[in-house]
Coordinates of all heavy atoms in Angstrom, one line a residue:
M1 N 0.8 -1.2 0.0 CA 0.0 0.0 0.0 C 0.9 1.3 0.0 O 0.4 2.3 -0.5 CB -0.9 0.0 1.2 CG -1.9 -1.1 1.3 SD -3.6 -0.5 1.1 CE -4.4 -2.0 0.9
K2 N 2.0 1.2 0.6 CA 2.9 2.3 0.6 C 3.4 2.6 -0.8 O 3.6 3.8 -1.2 CB 4.1 2.1 1.5 CG 3.7 2.2 3.0 CD 4.9 2.2 3.9 CE 4.5 2.3 5.3 NZ 5.7 2.3 6.2
K3 N 3.6 1.6 -1.6 CA 4.1 1.8 -3.0 C 3.0 2.3 -3.9 O 3.3 3.1 -4.8 CB 4.7 0.5 -3.6 CG 6.0 0.1 -2.9 CD 6.5 -1.2 -3.5 CE 7.8 -1.6 -2.8 NZ 8.4 -2.8 -3.4
N4 N 1.8 1.8 -3.7 CA 0.7 2.2 -4.5 C -0.5 2.7 -3.7 O -1.5 2.0 -3.5 CB 0.2 1.0 -5.4 CG 1.3 0.5 -6.3 OD1 1.8 1.3 -7.1 ND2 1.6 -0.7 -6.2
P5 N -0.4 3.9 -3.1 CA -1.4 4.4 -2.2 C -2.8 4.5 -2.9 O -2.8 4.8 -4.1 CB -0.9 5.7 -1.7 CG 0.1 6.1 -2.7 CD 0.7 4.9 -3.3
N6 N -3.8 4.3 -2.1 CA -5.2 4.5 -2.6 C -6.0 5.2 -1.5 O -5.5 5.7 -0.6 CB -5.8 3.2 -3.1 CG -5.8 2.1 -2.0 OD1 -6.2 2.4 -0.9 ND2 -5.2 1.0 -2.3
T7 N -7.3 5.2 -1.7 CA -8.2 5.9 -0.7 C -8.7 5.0 0.4 O -9.6 5.4 1.2 CB -9.3 6.6 -1.4 OG1 -10.1 5.6 -2.1 CG2 -8.8 7.7 -2.4
S8 N -8.2 3.7 0.5 CA -8.7 2.8 1.5 C -8.2 3.4 2.9 O -7.2 4.1 3.0 CB -8.1 1.4 1.3 OG -6.7 1.4 1.5
I9 N -8.9 3.0 3.9 CA -8.5 3.4 5.3 C -7.1 3.0 5.6 O -6.3 3.7 6.2 CB -9.5 3.0 6.4 CG1 -9.1 3.7 7.7 CG2 -9.6 1.5 6.5 CD1 -10.2 3.5 8.8
L10 N -6.7 1.7 5.3 CA -5.4 1.2 5.6 C -4.3 2.0 4.8 O -3.3 2.4 5.5 CB -5.3 -0.3 5.2 CG -4.0 -0.9 5.5 CD1 -3.6 -0.8 6.9 CD2 -4.0 -2.4 5.1
S11 N -4.5 2.3 3.6 CA -3.6 3.1 2.8 C -3.4 4.5 3.4 O -2.3 5.0 3.5 CB -4.0 3.1 1.4 OG -3.0 3.8 0.6
V12 N -4.5 5.1 3.7 CA -4.4 6.5 4.2 C -3.7 6.5 5.6 O -2.9 7.4 5.8 CB -5.9 7.1 4.4 CG1 -5.8 8.4 5.2 CG2 -6.5 7.3 3.0
L13 N -4.0 5.5 6.5 CA -3.4 5.5 7.8 C -1.9 5.2 7.6 O -1.1 5.8 8.3 CB -4.0 4.4 8.7 CG -5.4 4.8 9.2 CD1 -6.1 3.6 9.9 CD2 -5.4 6.0 10.1
L14 N -1.5 4.3 6.7 CA -0.1 4.0 6.5 C 0.6 5.3 6.0 O 1.7 5.6 6.4 CB 0.1 2.9 5.5 CG -0.2 1.5 6.0 CD1 -0.3 0.5 4.9 CD2 0.8 1.1 7.1
G15 N 0.0 6.0 5.1 CA 0.6 7.2 4.6 C 0.6 8.4 5.6 O 1.3 9.4 5.3
S16 N -0.1 8.3 6.7 CA -0.2 9.4 7.6 C 1.0 9.5 8.5 O 1.2 10.4 9.2 CB -1.5 9.3 8.5 OG -1.3 8.2 9.4
G17 N 1.8 8.4 8.6 CA 2.9 8.4 9.4 C 2.6 7.9 10.9 O 3.5 7.9 11.7
Q18 N 1.4 7.4 11.1 CA 1.1 6.9 12.4 C 1.9 5.6 12.7 O 2.2 4.9 11.8 CB -0.4 6.6 12.5 CG -1.3 7.8 12.5 CD -2.8 7.3 12.8 OE1 -3.0 6.5 13.6 NE2 -3.7 8.0 12.1
N19 N 2.1 5.3 14.0 CA 2.8 4.1 14.3 C 1.8 2.9 14.1 O 0.6 3.1 14.1 CB 3.3 4.1 15.7 CG 2.3 4.3 16.8 OD1 1.3 3.6 16.8 ND2 2.5 5.2 17.7
M20 N 2.3 1.7 14.0 CA 1.5 0.5 13.7 C 0.5 0.2 14.8 O -0.6 -0.2 14.5 CB 2.4 -0.7 13.5 CG 3.0 -0.7 12.1 SD 1.9 -0.5 10.7 CE 1.0 -2.1 10.8
E21 N 0.8 0.6 16.0 CA -0.2 0.3 17.1 C -1.4 1.2 16.9 O -2.5 0.8 17.1 CB 0.5 0.7 18.5 CG -0.4 0.4 19.6 CD 0.3 0.7 21.0 OE1 1.5 0.6 21.1 OE2 -0.5 0.9 21.9
S22 N -1.2 2.5 16.5 CA -2.3 3.4 16.3 C -3.1 2.9 15.0 O -4.3 3.0 15.0 CB -1.8 4.8 16.1 OG -1.3 5.3 17.3
I23 N -2.4 2.5 14.0 CA -3.1 2.0 12.8 C -3.9 0.8 13.1 O -5.1 0.8 12.7 CB -2.0 1.7 11.7 CG1 -1.4 3.0 11.2 CG2 -2.7 1.0 10.5 CD1 -0.2 2.9 10.2
R24 N -3.4 -0.1 13.8 CA -4.2 -1.3 14.2 C -5.4 -0.9 15.0 O -6.5 -1.4 14.8 CB -3.3 -2.3 15.0 CG -2.3 -3.1 14.2 CD -1.6 -4.1 15.0 NE -0.5 -4.7 14.3 CZ 0.7 -4.4 14.5 NH1 1.1 -3.5 15.4 NH2 1.7 -4.9 13.7
A25 N -5.3 0.0 16.0 CA -6.4 0.4 16.8 C -7.5 1.1 15.9 O -8.7 0.9 16.1 CB -5.9 1.4 17.9
N26 N -7.1 1.9 15.0 CA -8.0 2.6 14.1 C -8.7 1.6 13.2 O -9.9 1.8 12.9 CB -7.3 3.7 13.3 CG -7.2 5.0 14.1 OD1 -8.1 5.6 14.5 ND2 -5.9 5.3 14.4
I27 N -8.0 0.6 12.7 CA -8.6 -0.4 11.8 C -9.7 -1.2 12.6 O -10.8 -1.4 12.1 CB -7.6 -1.3 11.2 CG1 -6.7 -0.5 10.2 CG2 -8.2 -2.5 10.5 CD1 -7.4 0.0 9.0
K28 N -9.3 -1.6 13.8 CA -10.3 -2.3 14.7 C -11.5 -1.4 14.9 O -12.7 -1.9 14.9 CB -9.6 -2.7 16.0 CG -8.6 -3.8 15.9 CD -8.0 -4.1 17.2 CE -6.9 -5.1 17.1 NZ -6.2 -5.3 18.4
L29 N -11.3 -0.2 15.2 CA -12.5 0.7 15.5 C -13.4 0.9 14.2 O -14.6 0.8 14.3 CB -12.0 2.1 15.9 CG -13.0 3.1 16.3 CD1 -13.9 2.7 17.4 CD2 -12.4 4.5 16.6
A30 N -12.7 1.0 13.0 CA -13.5 1.1 11.8 C -14.3 -0.2 11.5 O -15.5 -0.1 11.1 CB -12.6 1.4 10.6
I31 N -13.7 -1.3 11.8 CA -14.4 -2.6 11.5 C -15.6 -2.7 12.5 O -16.7 -3.1 12.1 CB -13.4 -3.8 11.7 CG1 -12.5 -3.8 10.5 CG2 -14.2 -5.1 11.7 CD1 -11.3 -4.8 10.6
S32 N -15.3 -2.5 13.8 CA -16.3 -2.5 14.8 C -17.5 -1.6 14.5 O -18.7 -1.9 14.5 CB -15.8 -2.2 16.2 OG -16.8 -2.1 17.1
G33 N -17.1 -0.3 14.1 CA -18.1 0.7 13.8 C -18.9 0.3 12.6 O -20.1 0.6 12.5
G34 N -18.3 -0.3 11.6 CA -19.0 -0.8 10.4 C -20.0 -1.9 10.7 O -20.9 -2.1 9.9
Q35 N -19.9 -2.5 11.8 CA -20.9 -3.6 12.2 C -21.9 -3.1 13.2 O -23.1 -3.3 13.1 CB -20.1 -4.8 12.8 CG -19.2 -5.5 11.8 CD -18.4 -6.6 12.4 OE1 -18.3 -6.6 13.6 NE2 -17.8 -7.4 11.6
N36 N -21.4 -2.4 14.3 CA -22.2 -2.1 15.4 C -23.2 -0.9 15.1 O -24.4 -1.0 15.4 CB -21.4 -1.8 16.6 CG -20.6 -3.0 17.1 OD1 -20.9 -4.1 16.8 ND2 -19.5 -2.7 17.8
E37 N -22.7 0.2 14.6 CA -23.5 1.4 14.5 C -24.6 1.1 13.5 O -25.8 1.5 13.8 CB -22.7 2.6 14.1 CG -22.0 3.2 15.3 CD -20.9 2.4 16.0 OE1 -20.3 1.6 15.3 OE2 -20.6 2.6 17.1
P38 N -24.4 0.5 12.3 CA -25.6 0.3 11.4 C -26.6 -0.6 12.1 O -27.8 -0.4 12.0 CB -24.9 -0.4 10.2 CG -23.5 0.1 10.2 CD -23.1 0.2 11.6
R39 N -26.1 -1.7 12.7 CA -27.0 -2.6 13.4 C -27.9 -1.8 14.5 O -29.1 -2.0 14.5 CB -26.2 -3.7 14.1 CG -27.1 -4.6 15.0 CD -26.3 -5.3 16.1 NE -25.8 -4.3 17.0 CZ -24.7 -4.4 17.7 NH1 -23.9 -5.5 17.6 NH2 -24.3 -3.5 18.6
D40 N -27.2 -1.0 15.3 CA -27.9 -0.2 16.3 C -28.9 0.8 15.7 O -30.0 1.0 16.2 CB -26.9 0.5 17.2 CG -26.1 -0.5 18.0 OD1 -26.4 -1.7 18.0 OD2 -25.1 -0.1 18.6
A41 N -28.5 1.4 14.6 CA -29.3 2.4 13.9 C -30.6 1.8 13.4 O -31.7 2.3 13.5 CB -28.6 3.2 12.9
I42 N -30.4 0.6 12.7 CA -31.6 -0.1 12.1 C -32.5 -0.6 13.2 O -33.7 -0.3 13.2 CB -31.1 -1.3 11.3 CG1 -30.4 -0.7 10.0 CG2 -32.3 -2.2 10.9 CD1 -29.6 -1.8 9.2
S43 N -32.0 -1.2 14.3 CA -32.8 -1.7 15.3 C -33.5 -0.6 16.1 O -34.6 -0.7 16.5 CB -32.1 -2.7 16.3 OG -31.0 -2.0 16.9
G44 N -32.7 0.5 16.3 CA -33.3 1.7 17.0 C -34.4 2.3 16.2 O -35.4 2.8 16.8
T45 N -34.3 2.4 14.9 CA -35.3 2.9 14.0 C -36.6 2.1 14.1 O -37.7 2.6 14.3 CB -34.9 3.0 12.6 OG1 -33.7 3.9 12.5 CG2 -36.0 3.6 11.7
V46 N -36.4 0.8 14.1 CA -37.6 -0.1 14.3 C -38.2 0.1 15.6 O -39.5 0.2 15.7 CB -37.2 -1.6 14.1 CG1 -38.3 -2.5 14.5 CG2 -36.7 -1.9 12.7
W47 N -37.4 0.2 16.7 CA -38.0 0.4 18.0 C -38.7 1.7 18.1 O -39.9 1.8 18.6 CB -36.8 0.5 19.1 CG -37.3 1.1 20.4 CD1 -37.9 0.4 21.4 CD2 -37.1 2.4 20.8 NE1 -38.2 1.3 22.4 CE2 -37.7 2.6 22.0 CE3 -36.6 3.6 20.2 CZ2 -37.8 3.8 22.7 CZ3 -36.6 4.8 20.9 CH2 -37.2 4.8 22.1
A48 N -38.2 2.8 17.5 CA -38.8 4.1 17.5 C -40.2 4.1 16.8 O -41.1 4.6 17.3 CB -37.9 5.2 16.9
L49 N -40.2 3.4 15.7 CA -41.5 3.3 14.9 C -42.5 2.5 15.7 O -43.7 2.8 15.7 CB -41.2 2.7 13.5 CG -40.5 3.6 12.6 CD1 -40.1 2.9 11.3 CD2 -41.3 4.9 12.3
L50 N -42.1 1.4 16.3 CA -43.0 0.6 17.1 C -43.5 1.2 18.3 O -44.6 1.0 18.8 CB -42.4 -0.8 17.4 CG -42.1 -1.7 16.2 CD1 -41.4 -3.0 16.6 CD2 -43.4 -2.0 15.4
T51 N -42.7 2.1 18.9 CA -43.2 2.8 20.1 C -43.8 4.2 19.8 O -44.3 4.8 20.7 CB -42.0 3.0 21.1 OG1 -41.0 3.7 20.4 CG2 -41.5 1.7 21.6
H52 N -43.8 4.6 18.5 CA -44.5 5.8 18.1 C -45.3 5.4 16.8 O -44.9 5.8 15.7 CB -43.5 6.9 17.7 CG -42.7 7.3 18.9 ND1 -41.5 6.7 19.4 CD2 -42.9 8.4 19.8 CE1 -41.1 7.3 20.4 NE2 -41.9 8.3 20.7
P53 N -46.4 4.7 17.0 CA -47.1 4.1 15.9 C -47.7 5.2 14.9 O -47.8 4.9 13.7 CB -48.3 3.4 16.5 CG -48.3 3.8 18.0 CD -47.0 4.3 18.3
E54 N -47.9 6.4 15.4 CA -48.4 7.5 14.5 C -47.3 7.8 13.5 O -47.6 8.1 12.3 CB -48.8 8.7 15.3 CG -47.7 9.5 15.9 CD -47.1 8.9 17.2 OE1 -47.5 7.8 17.7 OE2 -46.1 9.5 17.7
Q55 N -46.0 7.7 13.8 CA -44.9 7.9 12.9 C -44.8 6.7 11.9 O -44.5 7.0 10.7 CB -43.6 8.1 13.7 CG -43.6 9.3 14.6 CD -43.9 10.6 13.9 OE1 -43.3 10.9 12.8 NE2 -44.8 11.4 14.4
L56 N -45.0 5.5 12.4 CA -45.0 4.4 11.5 C -46.1 4.5 10.4 O -45.9 4.2 9.3 CB -45.2 3.1 12.3 CG -45.3 1.8 11.5 CD1 -44.0 1.6 10.7 CD2 -45.5 0.6 12.5
V57 N -47.3 5.0 10.8 CA -48.4 5.2 9.9 C -47.9 6.1 8.8 O -48.2 5.9 7.6 CB -49.7 5.7 10.6 CG1 -50.7 6.1 9.6 CG2 -50.2 4.6 11.5
L58 N -47.3 7.2 9.1 CA -46.8 8.2 8.1 C -45.9 7.6 7.1 O -46.0 7.8 5.9 CB -46.2 9.4 8.8 CG -47.0 10.3 9.7 CD1 -46.2 11.3 10.5 CD2 -48.1 11.0 8.9
A59 N -45.0 6.8 7.6 CA -44.0 6.1 6.7 C -44.7 5.1 5.9 O -44.5 5.0 4.7 CB -42.9 5.5 7.5
R60 N -45.6 4.3 6.4 CA -46.2 3.2 5.7 C -47.2 3.8 4.6 O -47.3 3.2 3.6 CB -47.0 2.3 6.6 CG -46.1 1.5 7.5 CD -46.8 0.6 8.4 NE -47.0 -0.7 7.7 CZ -47.6 -1.7 8.2 NH1 -48.2 -1.7 9.4 NH2 -47.7 -2.8 7.5
E61 N -47.8 4.9 4.9 CA -48.7 5.5 3.9 C -47.9 6.4 2.9 O -48.5 7.0 2.0 CB -49.7 6.4 4.6 CG -50.7 5.6 5.4 CD -51.7 6.4 6.2 OE1 -51.5 7.7 6.2 OE2 -52.6 5.9 6.8
G62 N -46.6 6.4 3.0 CA -45.8 7.2 2.1 C -45.8 8.7 2.3 O -45.3 9.5 1.4
K63 N -46.3 9.1 3.4 CA -46.3 10.6 3.7 C -44.9 11.1 4.1 O -44.6 12.3 4.0 CB -47.3 10.9 4.8 CG -48.7 10.6 4.4 CD -49.7 10.9 5.4 CE -51.1 10.6 4.9 NZ -52.2 10.7 5.9
V64 N -44.0 10.2 4.5 CA -42.6 10.5 4.7 C -41.8 9.4 4.1 O -42.2 8.2 4.0 CB -42.2 10.7 6.2 CG1 -42.9 11.8 6.9 CG2 -42.5 9.4 7.0
K65 N -40.6 9.7 3.6 CA -39.8 8.7 3.0 C -39.1 7.9 4.1 O -38.7 8.4 5.1 CB -38.7 9.4 2.1 CG -39.3 10.2 0.9 CD -38.2 10.9 0.2 CE -38.8 11.7 -0.9 NZ -37.7 12.5 -1.6
W66 N -38.8 6.6 3.8 CA -38.1 5.8 4.7 C -36.7 6.3 5.0 O -36.3 6.2 6.2 CB -38.1 4.3 4.2 CG -39.4 3.7 4.3 CD1 -40.3 3.5 3.3 CD2 -40.0 3.2 5.5 NE1 -41.4 2.8 3.8 CE2 -41.3 2.6 5.1 CE3 -39.6 3.1 6.8 CZ2 -42.2 2.1 6.1 CZ3 -40.5 2.5 7.7 CH2 -41.7 2.0 7.4
I67 N -36.0 6.8 4.1 CA -34.7 7.4 4.3 C -34.8 8.5 5.3 O -33.9 8.7 6.2 CB -34.0 7.8 3.0 CG1 -32.5 8.2 3.3 CG2 -34.7 9.0 2.4 CD1 -31.6 7.0 3.8
D68 N -35.9 9.3 5.2 CA -36.0 10.4 6.2 C -36.3 9.9 7.6 O -35.9 10.4 8.6 CB -37.1 11.3 5.8 CG -36.8 12.1 4.5 OD1 -35.6 12.3 4.2 OD2 -37.7 12.5 3.8
V69 N -37.1 8.8 7.7 CA -37.3 8.1 9.0 C -36.0 7.7 9.6 O -35.7 8.0 10.8 CB -38.3 6.9 8.8 CG1 -38.4 6.1 10.1 CG2 -39.6 7.3 8.3
F70 N -35.2 7.0 8.8 CA -33.9 6.5 9.3 C -33.0 7.7 9.7 O -32.4 7.6 10.8 CB -33.2 5.7 8.2 CG -31.9 5.1 8.7 CD1 -31.8 4.0 9.5 CD2 -30.7 5.7 8.2 CE1 -30.6 3.6 9.9 CE2 -29.5 5.2 8.6 CZ -29.4 4.2 9.4
E71 N -32.9 8.7 8.9 CA -32.0 9.8 9.2 C -32.5 10.6 10.4 O -31.7 11.1 11.2 CB -31.9 10.7 8.0 CG -31.0 10.1 6.9 CD -30.9 11.0 5.6 OE1 -31.6 12.0 5.6 OE2 -30.1 10.6 4.8
E72 N -33.8 10.7 10.6 CA -34.3 11.4 11.8 C -34.0 10.6 13.0 O -33.7 11.1 14.1 CB -35.8 11.6 11.6 CG -36.5 12.3 12.8 CD -35.9 13.7 13.2 OE1 -35.2 14.3 12.4 OE2 -36.2 14.1 14.3
Y73 N -34.1 9.3 13.0 CA -33.7 8.5 14.1 C -32.3 8.7 14.5 O -31.9 8.9 15.6 CB -34.0 7.0 13.9 CG -33.4 6.2 15.1 CD1 -34.1 6.2 16.3 CD2 -32.2 5.6 15.0 CE1 -33.6 5.5 17.4 CE2 -31.6 5.0 16.1 CZ -32.3 5.0 17.3 OH -31.8 4.4 18.4
A74 N -31.4 8.6 13.5 CA -30.0 8.8 13.7 C -29.6 10.2 14.3 O -28.7 10.3 15.0 CB -29.2 8.5 12.4
R75 N -30.4 11.2 13.9 CA -30.3 12.5 14.5 C -30.8 12.5 15.9 O -30.1 13.1 16.8 CB -31.0 13.5 13.6 CG -30.8 15.0 14.1 CD -31.9 15.9 13.7 NE -33.2 15.5 14.3 CZ -33.6 15.7 15.6 NH1 -32.8 16.3 16.4 NH2 -34.8 15.3 16.0
W76 N -31.9 11.9 16.1 CA -32.6 11.9 17.4 C -31.7 11.1 18.5 O -31.5 11.7 19.6 CB -34.0 11.3 17.3 CG -34.8 11.2 18.5 CD1 -34.9 12.2 19.5 CD2 -35.6 10.1 18.9 NE1 -35.8 11.7 20.4 CE2 -36.2 10.5 20.1 CE3 -35.9 8.9 18.3 CZ2 -37.1 9.7 20.8 CZ3 -36.8 8.1 19.0 CH2 -37.4 8.4 20.2
I77 N -31.4 9.9 18.2 CA -30.6 9.1 19.1 C -29.4 8.5 18.3 O -29.6 7.5 17.7 CB -31.4 8.0 19.7 CG1 -32.6 8.5 20.5 CG2 -30.6 7.1 20.7 CD1 -33.6 7.5 21.1
A78 N -28.3 9.2 18.4 CA -27.2 8.7 17.6 C -26.7 7.3 18.0 O -26.6 7.0 19.1 CB -26.0 9.7 17.8
P79 N -26.5 6.5 17.0 CA -26.1 5.1 17.2 C -24.7 5.0 17.8 O -24.3 4.0 18.4 CB -26.2 4.4 15.9 CG -26.1 5.5 14.9 CD -26.7 6.7 15.5
I80 N -23.9 6.0 17.6 CA -22.5 6.0 18.1 C -22.6 6.7 19.5 O -22.7 7.9 19.6 CB -21.6 6.8 17.2 CG1 -21.6 6.1 15.8 CG2 -20.2 6.8 17.8 CD1 -20.8 6.9 14.8
Q81 N -22.6 5.9 20.5 CA -22.7 6.4 21.9 C -21.5 6.9 22.5 O -21.4 7.8 23.3 CB -23.4 5.3 22.8 CG -24.8 5.0 22.3 CD -25.7 6.1 22.4 OE1 -25.7 6.9 23.4 NE2 -26.5 6.3 21.4
M82 N -20.3 6.2 22.2 CA -19.1 6.7 22.8 C -17.9 6.2 22.0 O -17.9 5.1 21.6 CB -19.0 6.1 24.2 CG -17.8 6.6 25.0 SD -17.7 5.8 26.6 CE -16.1 5.1 26.5
S83 N -17.0 7.1 21.8 CA -15.7 6.8 21.2 C -14.7 7.5 22.1 O -14.6 8.7 22.1 CB -15.6 7.2 19.8 OG -14.4 6.9 19.2
P84 N -14.0 6.7 22.9 CA -13.1 7.3 23.9 C -12.0 8.2 23.2 O -11.5 7.9 22.2 CB -12.4 6.2 24.5 CG -13.1 4.9 24.2 CD -13.9 5.3 23.0
R85 N -11.9 9.4 23.8 CA -10.9 10.4 23.3 C -10.1 10.9 24.5 O -10.6 10.9 25.6 CB -11.6 11.5 22.5 CG -12.5 11.1 21.4 CD -11.6 10.9 20.2 NE -12.5 10.7 19.0 CZ -12.3 9.8 18.1 NH1 -11.3 9.0 18.2 NH2 -13.2 9.6 17.2
R86 N -9.0 11.5 24.2 CA -8.3 12.2 25.2 C -7.7 13.5 24.6 O -7.4 13.5 23.4 CB -7.1 11.4 25.8 CG -6.0 11.1 24.9 CD -4.9 10.4 25.7 NE -3.8 10.1 24.7 CZ -2.8 11.0 24.5 NH1 -2.8 12.2 25.1 NH2 -1.9 10.7 23.6
V87 N -7.7 14.5 25.3 CA -7.1 15.8 24.9 C -5.6 15.7 25.1 O -5.1 15.6 26.2 CB -7.8 17.0 25.6 CG1 -7.2 18.3 25.2 CG2 -9.3 17.0 25.5
A88 N -4.9 15.8 24.0 CA -3.4 15.7 24.0 C -2.7 16.9 24.5 O -1.7 16.9 25.1 CB -2.9 15.3 22.7
K89 N -3.3 18.1 24.2 CA -2.7 19.4 24.7 C -3.9 20.3 25.0 O -5.0 20.1 24.5 CB -1.8 19.9 23.6 CG -2.5 20.3 22.3 CD -1.5 20.8 21.2 CE -2.3 21.1 20.0 NZ -1.4 21.7 19.0
Q90 N -3.6 21.3 25.7 CA -4.6 22.3 26.1 C -5.2 22.9 24.8 O -4.4 23.2 23.8 CB -4.0 23.4 27.0 CG -5.1 24.3 27.5 CD -4.6 25.2 28.6 OE1 -3.7 24.8 29.4 NE2 -5.1 26.4 28.7
W91 N -6.5 23.1 24.8 CA -7.1 23.5 23.5 C -8.4 24.3 23.9 O -9.0 24.1 24.9 CB -7.5 22.3 22.8 CG -8.1 22.5 21.4 CD1 -9.4 22.5 21.0 CD2 -7.3 22.9 20.2 NE1 -9.5 22.7 19.7 CE2 -8.3 23.0 19.2 CE3 -6.0 23.1 20.0 CZ2 -7.9 23.3 17.9 CZ3 -5.6 23.4 18.7 CH2 -6.6 23.5 17.7
S92 N -8.8 25.2 23.0 CA -10.1 25.9 23.2 C -10.8 25.9 21.9 O -10.2 25.9 20.8 CB -9.8 27.3 23.7 OG -9.2 28.1 22.7
Y93 N -12.1 25.8 22.1 CA -13.0 25.7 20.9 C -14.4 26.3 21.3 O -15.0 25.9 22.3 CB -13.1 24.3 20.4 CG -14.0 24.2 19.2 CD1 -13.6 24.5 17.9 CD2 -15.3 23.8 19.3 CE1 -14.4 24.4 16.8 CE2 -16.2 23.7 18.2 CZ -15.7 24.0 16.9 OH -16.5 23.9 15.8
G94 N -14.9 27.2 20.5 CA -16.2 27.8 20.7 C -16.4 28.3 22.1 O -17.5 28.2 22.7
G95 N -15.4 28.8 22.7 CA -15.5 29.4 24.0 C -15.2 28.4 25.1 O -15.1 28.8 26.3
G96 N -15.1 27.1 24.8 CA -14.8 26.1 25.8 C -13.3 25.8 25.8 O -12.6 25.9 24.8
R97 N -12.8 25.5 27.0 CA -11.4 25.3 27.2 C -11.3 23.8 27.6 O -12.0 23.3 28.5 CB -10.8 26.2 28.3 CG -10.9 27.6 27.9 CD -10.5 28.6 29.0 NE -9.1 28.3 29.3 CZ -8.1 29.2 28.8 NH1 -8.4 30.2 28.1 NH2 -6.8 28.9 29.1
F98 N -10.3 23.1 27.0 CA -10.0 21.7 27.3 C -8.6 21.6 27.8 O -7.7 22.1 27.2 CB -10.2 20.9 26.0 CG -11.5 21.0 25.4 CD1 -11.9 22.0 24.5 CD2 -12.5 20.1 25.8 CE1 -13.1 22.1 24.0 CE2 -13.8 20.2 25.2 CZ -14.1 21.2 24.3
R99 N -8.5 20.9 28.9 CA -7.1 20.7 29.5 C -6.6 19.4 29.0 O -7.4 18.4 28.8 CB -7.2 20.7 31.0 CG -7.4 22.0 31.6 CD -7.5 22.0 33.1 NE -8.8 21.5 33.5 CZ -9.2 21.1 34.6 NH1 -8.3 21.0 35.6 NH2 -10.4 20.7 34.9
A100 N -5.3 19.3 28.9 CA -4.7 18.0 28.5 C -4.9 16.9 29.5 O -5.0 17.2 30.7 CB -3.2 18.3 28.3

């Protein structure tokens, strides 16, 4: 991948200069996220429709598009609940201050 870089996550991470431990951790996170978050978003959307039957009726009757139902659920209750992060250096953003 280093000789023939492309847009794959592995190629981009290798080209970024990250150490192999970080690259492995990021690949594991991407694989996990590719499985868990779509599963949680789909099952969450089904739960939301079953517990809000008036919304299910709107979708079934075609008054709202199914993609809009899914996107609204993902906006309402994000399927990605936590991705651990640490602040490497003191930083400020939007008036907020973050300590390392």
Side-chain angles (χ1 to χ4, degrees):
M1 299 245 171
K2 286 185 178 183
K3 290 182 181 181
N4 299 305
N6 56 51
T7 58
S8 70
I9 187 170
L10 180 56
S11 183
V12 170
L13 290 172
L14 286 169
S16 73
Q18 290 187 41
N19 62 49
M20 283 306 290
E21 184 178 335
S22 292
I23 291 173
R24 285 186 189 102
N26 279 297
I27 294 293
K28 288 177 186 177
L29 183 61
I31 291 170
S32 172
Q35 295 173 348
N36 297 338
E37 279 69 25
R39 176 205 63 210
D40 295 348
I42 292 166
S43 61
T45 301
V46 170
W47 166 82
L49 290 172
L50 293 176
T51 57
H52 297 84
E54 70 284 358
Q55 299 300 315
L56 177 58
V57 169
L58 294 174
R60 293 182 90 182
E61 291 178 351
K63 294 179 180 174
V64 295
K65 295 178 186 175
W66 285 102
I67 188 65
D68 293 335
V69 171
F70 179 78
E71 288 178 353
E72 177 60 14
Y73 173 78
R75 184 206 61 79
W76 180 43
I77 302 177
I80 302 173
Q81 295 298 317
M82 186 183 125
S83 183
R85 302 276 188 226
R86 70 176 179 85
V87 179
K89 62 181 181 178
Q90 188 167 327
W91 187 258
S92 64
Y93 179 79
R97 298 175 65 101
F98 301 87
R99 288 181 279 165

